[in-house]
Structures are given as structure tokens and as C-alpha cells.
Amino acid sequence: MFALFAGPQRPGGRSTFQLGPIPVRVEFSFWLTAALLGYLMTGGMGAATLVVVGVVFVSVLIHELGHALAYLSRGARAEVLLYGAGGLTMGRRDAPFRPGERLFTALAGPLAGMVFGAGVYFAQKAHGPFANPLAGVAIEATLFTTIGWGIFNLLPVLPMDGGHVLESLLCLKDELRGRIWARYVSIGFAAVLAPLALYLGWQFAAVLLVLDALQCWQTLALLNPKRQAELSRMPANAPPPEAPDVIENLARLHKLLAEEQPEQARAVAHQVLSAARGHGARDQALRALAWLSIGAGNAQEALGFLSKTSPRFDDPLTWGTAIAASGDALNALPHLARAFQRSADPQTVATYARCLASVGQLEQARKLAGPGSPVEVQRALGEALFRSRDFAGSAEISRRLYERAPHPLDAYNAACAESRLGHTDEALRWLQLALENGFDDRAHLMEDPDLEPLRAHTGWAELVNRFPGAPAAG
């Protein structure tokens, strides 16, 4: 299940370490999967399992470095990602990769792994049996992850390396037809090999082949020649049809955004921008970058991305949220009002209510965030009221939400509002409820200026010492 994919399917984020010019990112999910494989291979959790985890890490890294070095040799930048499904290497350069180059980079990974595995095999033969049983575990795991899975990885089934080799060969004559036929052939091989793997007791391989076949079938809809013909007959002033890589990267971008992987989503969005032919794909990428910038607290950067969208781009929620994040709530209101007319989803209503309150339109904001509205909408209004120094209104909303369903955030917000009102006993009571319901951020508690009026209270020290991380009394 390792190192089965190559090429730009999924980018890395902030690197864990650097090997020369190659950044390497290792996600926590990689270690979990490696530990699971170690458990299955050794039948338990112990030293042998840790040995397997280490071998898996080295084997997959060598495989991906084979891809990465091949990309570097073709004048591209390379990034390596090790994650739950194995390893991925992304190569980037301004010029697109030709089919022959894709063939070379696809073969480089399995070749590197097999050379390493062969070296270990011959070294073991020359040495003879090892006295330490863990050495035997290490050799067995190395041969499995380099030779065994390396051979499996060369099956002509996308998106495995063998599938990319097949696709590169079929694309030598015709790019589009090559991509289509590569997927048909992949589905055919998977249909034959999956039952065989199941018959032989290789359940995981069978499941993987079925999933690969499903992915190929879904991609075929994007590459259908009838659909391409329809796009080619569009009016001359219409944007040209997007390349399959752009369509696939857009789908990947939406998936990464849903999975809350901002760094990886940002990298894919820039890939779309560099390769998109029409305004539709560019606008989607720019909108994604705007939201990522808003999430990172950089509203001006978000507005910069939105300023590059086409005249057809019509997303008042994104515009309104970016303008509001820049501190200009008044100019954000017309956009948010349009967004609210289109959809009263919680995110839209919460942003709209927050802006209304920040410009003093409190009654209209309260109408949007009544007692029956979603929790996130009421919290947004409570936050806006607090910033507008309507501490009584903010405390009322936090109390109402807590009574509806006890949550430490609502109890803490109520404490802050009561503290600002000078109700120290009541504020300490709400802090006690926040602690009892799971609030454990002692550092934030000690630094929060909204709680300053409580620090002279006789009950403050006793309450603070009850928080996790408090120094022991002595």
C-alpha cells in the first residue's frame, strides 16, 4: 500500500525536513499506516513492529526520491509527501511534461526501490543468517516494501506507477486518446486482477484495484470525446475547454479544502492558475486562494486575489467576507446583503450579522440571530456585540447558548462579558462552568485582558490553580 502514486496528484505542505533541494513532508497518518502494516506483518505491537515502521519509512522515501531526482534531472522542482496512502512526489516547472518525460519519472521510483531491495537481498545472502531475529524482520519487510510492492506498483493500472507508464506510452501519438485508453485498459486489468487477488487471499490488493478502477471510471467522464467535441463547438468567444490535468486539479482542490489542508490546497490552486485556459477555472482557483488568505488572517491578500477574477465572477459572500475581514464592514454590507438574499446558510448569516452589529445596526443583527437560529450565527452575533461593547447583550446570548447545550466556549464568553460588566462573582461562576465542561487553556486564561477585573478577586487564584498545567501548591 506504499509509494503507489507519482506525479502531481497531491502536493506537500510545510516540509518536515529537507534532503538537498528536495523538501520532504511526513504526515502523522503515514506513521499510523506504517504501524498498522507492522502489526499485520509481526502479529503484535513490539520491537519488531517498530523495525517494520522504520523500514517502511526508508523504503517509501527511497522510492519517492527516485521520482524526485528524475524530476530534478528534467529541470523541475520536486516535493515529496509521505502520508497515509503511501508516498507522492510532485514535480513542477513552467513547461508541461512531455509523455516521454512522464514515462521516465514514473519508472524512476520503482527502479530506485528495487535497486535498494536487491542490494539488501544480495547483502543478506553474502552475510548469511543473522543471530538477531529483528534483523530478519527488517530484511523481510525491506524485500516486501521494495520488491513485492514495487512489482505490484508496476501493474498497468492508474494511478499506480505502471498505469502512468502505460498512459505515457499511449499519449505519445495522441494526448487525449492516450489518456482515455489508459483508463479503459486500467479498468480492464483491474477487473481481471482484483478477483484473482481475492482468490489468492490478497484482500488489500483486491480492494485497492477496485478503488483504482472506480477512480479511472470517474475520470473518464471528464475525458469523454463527445464532451470534448461539444466543448470544441462552443462559440469563438467562449473560453477554451480545460485540459484534463486542470479538471483533475480542481477536483483535488475542492477535496483539500473540504479536508482543511490549507497549505496543500494553496499549492494546487496555484497549479490551476498556471495551467487554466478559461476564466471559469481561474476564478475557482482565485476564490479558493481568497478564502485561504481570509483563514490565514490576510484580508488584503484575499482582496488582491479577488481583484484578478473575471467580470463574470459573481460571489458576493466571498467579496463581502474579504472586505469585512479588512476592517471595512460598511462597504462589506451590500455584498453580504446580496449573499443573504441568495442563501441563508449559517456562514452567510453569521458574517452578515457580525457586520451589521459592527456598524451599529444591532436590531437588524438581532433579528438574524434570534433564539432559534443556528449556534454559529448566535455566537457570531455575541462576538460582534462584545466588540461593540454591548457586554450585556453578548452575555445574554452566551448564557442562552449554554442553557441550550452546555459548551465551554459559551461559558467562557459569558465570563468575559460579565467581567467587563464588573460582575466579578458571576464571571468567576461562568469560568468555573467552563472548566467543568472541558475548557483547559490556562495560558489564554492568564493573558486574556477581558478577565483583568477578576485577578484581584479572592477566588481567582483558587480557580486558576484548578486548571490543567497549574503549578502544584507547596
Side-chain angles (χ1 to χ4, degrees):
M1 63 191 300
F2 295 94
L4 300 181
F5 307 100
Q9 275 94 351
R10 175 175 170 175
R14 184 174 300 168
S15 60
T16 305
F17 59 92
Q18 190 95 6
L19 290 176
I22 306 170
V24 180
R25 175 178 171 82
V26 186
E27 293 187 351
F28 182 67
S29 59
F30 174 84
W31 301 114
L32 290 178
T33 307
L36 175 61
L37 179 62
Y39 177 83
L40 294 175
M41 290 185 67
T42 62
M45 295 297 292
T49 299
L50 294 178
V51 169
V52 173
V53 170
V55 167
V56 168
F57 171 72
V58 172
S59 299
V60 177
L61 182 59
I62 289 173
H63 178 112
E64 297 307 322
L65 287 177
H67 290 305
L69 292 174
Y71 278 123
L72 292 177
S73 73
R74 309 316 301 163
R77 301 182 302 278
E79 301 175 33
V80 170
L81 170 68
L82 306 184
Y83 73 119
L88 299 173
T89 301
M90 183 174 70
R92 291 193 241 175
R93 72 179 185 190
D94 294 335
F97 293 97
R98 297 186 298 274
E101 291 176 313
R102 294 203 297 266
L103 173 65
F104 170 63
T105 55
L107 285 173
L111 180 62
M114 289 183 178
V115 168
F116 176 71
V120 171
Y121 174 78
F122 287 115
Q124 187 267 341
K125 285 295 184 183
H127 182 279
F130 289 88
N132 191 331
L134 292 179
V137 172
I139 291 171
E140 179 184 354
T142 300
L143 297 179
F144 174 76
T145 55
T146 56
I147 306 297
W149 276 104
I151 294 173
F152 181 80
N153 191 30
L154 286 174
L155 290 175
V157 178
L158 283 167
M160 294 192 288
D161 286 329
H164 287 293
V165 170
L166 169 70
E167 184 179 47
S168 300
L169 293 172
L170 293 175
C171 287
L172 287 172
K173 189 173 183 180
D174 187 306
E175 182 82 13
L176 177 59
R177 291 188 179 277
R179 287 176 175 272
I180 292 171
W181 277 106
R183 282 154 179 78
Y184 277 125
V185 173
S186 296
I187 293 170
F189 268 98
V192 173
L193 295 175
L196 177 61
L198 195 61
Y199 174 77
L200 294 174
W202 302 340
Q203 288 87 352
F204 178 78
V207 171
L208 185 62
L209 287 165
V210 170
L211 292 176
D212 288 346
L214 289 174
Q215 181 177 335
C216 288
W217 181 258
Q218 291 169 347
T219 311
L220 273 173
L222 304 175
L223 301 173
N224 189 297
K226 292 183 178 179
R227 177 59 178 158
Q228 293 292 325
E230 291 173 3
L231 292 172
S232 66
R233 291 194 295 270
M234 293 176 70
N237 61 347
E242 295 296 349
D245 284 345
V246 173
I247 298 173
E248 291 178 5
N249 274 333
L250 280 174
R252 190 170 304 112
L253 173 60
H254 295 311
K255 183 173 183 292
L256 290 170
L257 290 171
E259 293 174 350
E260 297 183 358
Q261 301 187 52
E263 293 178 353
Q264 297 172 359
R266 187 180 293 272
V268 174
H270 281 294
Q271 275 193 305
V272 172
L273 280 181
S274 65
R277 301 169 182 171
H279 58 76
R282 283 182 54 81
D283 285 349
Q284 289 188 57
L286 289 167
R287 174 169 48 194
L289 288 168
W291 279 109
L292 290 168
S293 298
I294 292 169
N298 195 337
Q300 292 304 320
E301 183 181 66
L303 291 172
F305 285 126
L306 292 175
S307 68
K308 298 175 183 177
T309 56
S310 71
R312 298 187 181 186
F313 181 74
D314 185 21
D315 187 343
L317 177 60
T318 305
W319 270 110
T321 304
I323 295 171
S326 71
D328 189 0
L330 191 61
N331 283 321
L333 279 177
H335 297 280
L336 293 172
R338 286 181 58 220
F340 176 67
Q341 290 172 357
R342 293 183 180 184
S343 172
D345 63 274
Q347 180 186 10
T348 302
V349 178
T351 307
Y352 189 26
R354 190 182 292 115
C355 278
L356 286 169
S358 66
V359 298
Q361 299 182 31
L362 299 181
E363 288 307 313
Q364 190 173 351
R366 285 192 174 96
K367 290 178 181 177
L368 292 175
S373 60
V375 170
E376 54 265 49
V377 174
Q378 296 187 60
R379 281 193 184 133
L381 177 61
E383 173 199 340
L385 293 177
F386 191 93
R387 291 182 177 181
S388 302
R389 305 191 66 79
D390 183 358
F391 302 124
S394 179
E396 178 187 354
I397 290 175
S398 296
R399 288 195 300 267
R400 185 171 70 203
L401 288 174
Y402 185 85
E403 291 168 1
R404 178 173 168 179
H407 192 284
L409 177 60
D410 298 316
Y412 185 86
N413 288 342
C416 290
E418 295 291 357
S419 174
R420 286 293 190 181
L421 289 168
H423 304 159
T424 53
D425 289 338
E426 185 68 3
L428 284 171
R429 185 180 75 84
W430 279 107
L431 278 181
Q432 174 68 36
L433 290 173
L435 173 62
E436 292 173 359
N437 282 276
F439 182 81
D440 60 358
D441 193 346
R442 184 175 183 273
H444 181 78
L445 180 83
M446 300 300 294
E447 298 171 359
D448 194 339
D450 296 322
L451 301 178
E452 185 60 36
L454 305 184
R455 295 192 171 103
H457 195 284
T458 55
W460 172 258
E462 180 184 352
L463 184 140
V464 168
N465 287 333
R466 295 186 57 195
F467 273 73

